[in-house]
Amino acid sequence: MAIFTAACVQLRSSRDVAANSAAAEALIREAAAAGADYVQTPEMTNLLERSREELMAKIRVEAEDPSLARFRALAAELGIWLHIGSLAILLEPGKAANRGFLIGPDGSLKAKYDKIHMFDVDLPNGESWRESATYRPGCESLVADLPFAWLGMAVCYDVRFPALFRAQARAGAEVLTMPAAFTRQTGEAHWHVLQRARAIENGAFVISSAQGGKHEDGRETYGHSLIVNPWGAVIAELDHDEPGFVTARIDTEETQKARQRIPAIANERDFTLTQTGKEIEA
């Protein structure tokens, strides 16, 4: 059981990597000054760029990524756990990873996660997205051991796949994370209910930083970075789409209490599924 202060940083990333890193750094510093032990940024902290050609020209391999180097130095300077929701990282010509990073207070990389589920959808308003054309999906979920909590890592569209978070909870995760760049249309319909559902069904805290507003590349994201407690209550939220940050006190004992009150994980049973349309004898 432990108590710590978590912060969500909300951004409006542009097509300029250096400007985005500077904007993120300024808000991370403010969150740390407000007492945050753990600070999370959104998906695609380093840039939002719809043009595949422009994206590939601007991103770098992990070892040469300037944003990652900057954030590692910042975490060490501030002495905080810094969770970069994700960066676009070059893997090979024409292919990238949507990769989240957990950086320790000494600046070392403690964990990294490649987004598993690709946002390949056609929305009713005419928006069409094919993440798989640019990004290589990950294939490994993970739970990281922090001094104050076991923390599960995920990114954005992953939130719609509850089995991922159930596996993390069964592995001991007390805090689930879903940094995102949710579209405004899907965010208005589903953002809050999905975050609260993942918290309730797993008896875990959910911490989700978000991109917000009208971006330079033309997309519009929902914002509303939030923190949900294990009983499903929103305990902190930026209830708008402007850049900023929000903090909340996290007591992991609440996770244990929620799981004792509703022992859904302990009560799980294996089952088989049968499809039938025929009459059966009584």
Side-chain angles (χ1 to χ4, degrees):
M1 313 301 178
I3 298 173
F4 67 101
T5 298
C8 287
V9 165
Q10 187 159 289
L11 300 174
R12 186 176 294 158
S13 294
S14 69
R15 291 170 151 168
D16 186 325
V17 172
N20 294 332
S21 297
E25 178 177 334
L27 287 169
I28 292 165
R29 287 185 179 279
E30 288 186 36
D37 307 293
Y38 161 92
V39 181
Q40 181 191 116
T41 68
E43 179 182 27
M44 290 294 141
T45 290
N46 58 341
L47 83 164
L48 278 174
E49 175 59 77
R50 294 195 72 167
S51 166
R52 191 166 181 269
E53 292 73 20
E54 289 292 326
L55 177 76
M56 292 301 164
K58 293 174 180 177
I59 63 176
R60 299 291 181 266
V61 297
E62 182 179 313
E64 300 172 4
D65 186 83
S67 298
L68 181 58
R70 182 173 188 164
F71 293 137
R72 291 182 65 177
L74 182 62
E77 177 192 338
L78 299 176
I80 60 170
W81 285 85
L82 181 54
H83 180 178
I84 302 301
S86 82
L87 303 174
I89 297 292
L90 183 65
L91 297 177
E92 60 189 45
K95 215 67 174 179
N98 188 340
R99 182 170 294 168
F101 294 91
L102 184 63
I103 304 168
D106 60 355
S108 64
L109 290 179
K110 300 299 186 182
K112 54 187 177 181
Y113 166 78
D114 286 0
K115 184 178 181 180
I116 293 174
H117 299 98
M118 298 288 97
F119 191 54
D120 290 355
V121 302
D122 298 304
L123 297 175
N125 68 349
E127 289 184 62
S128 183
W129 301 91
R130 292 291 181 273
E131 277 191 337
S132 61
T134 302
Y135 297 96
R136 181 182 297 166
C139 58
E140 183 179 6
S141 178
L142 65 88
V143 175
D145 184 12
L146 279 65
F148 37 73
W150 285 95
L151 180 140
M153 296 177 69
V155 174
C156 198
Y157 190 47
D158 285 332
V159 72
R160 295 183 182 273
F161 299 85
L164 174 66
F165 302 97
R166 177 61 105 216
Q168 293 181 348
R170 293 183 73 176
E174 300 157 304
V175 176
L176 306 174
T177 64
M178 302 162 212
F182 246 61
T183 68
R184 176 166 297 281
Q185 183 184 18
T186 56
E188 289 175 346
H190 298 150
W191 174 252
H192 290 83
V193 70
L194 286 169
Q195 306 293 324
R196 296 184 65 208
R198 298 298 85 86
I200 293 166
E201 65 199 11
N202 293 297
F205 284 94
V206 166
I207 302 175
S208 298
S209 296
Q211 295 279 353
K214 188 70 175 288
H215 297 266
E216 190 180 7
D217 72 347
R219 82 183 75 196
E220 193 169 5
T221 54
Y222 184 58
H224 291 262
S225 299
L226 51 75
I227 300 174
V228 184
N229 74 12
W231 203 242
V234 176
I235 58 173
E237 178 180 5
L238 281 173
D239 60 350
H240 51 70
D241 63 9
E242 295 295 324
F245 74 93
V246 66
T247 65
R249 176 181 177 273
I250 307 296
D251 183 348
T252 58
E253 186 175 358
E254 292 185 42
T255 298
Q256 307 308 317
K257 289 179 178 178
R259 291 175 179 175
Q260 289 168 2
R261 292 172 72 182
I262 305 291
I265 298 173
N267 289 346
E268 278 188 325
R269 291 176 55 83
D270 293 330
F271 58 89
T272 58
L273 174 65
T274 302
Q275 291 180 296
T276 179
K278 301 177 182 179
E279 292 185 9
I280 59 175
E281 293 183 4

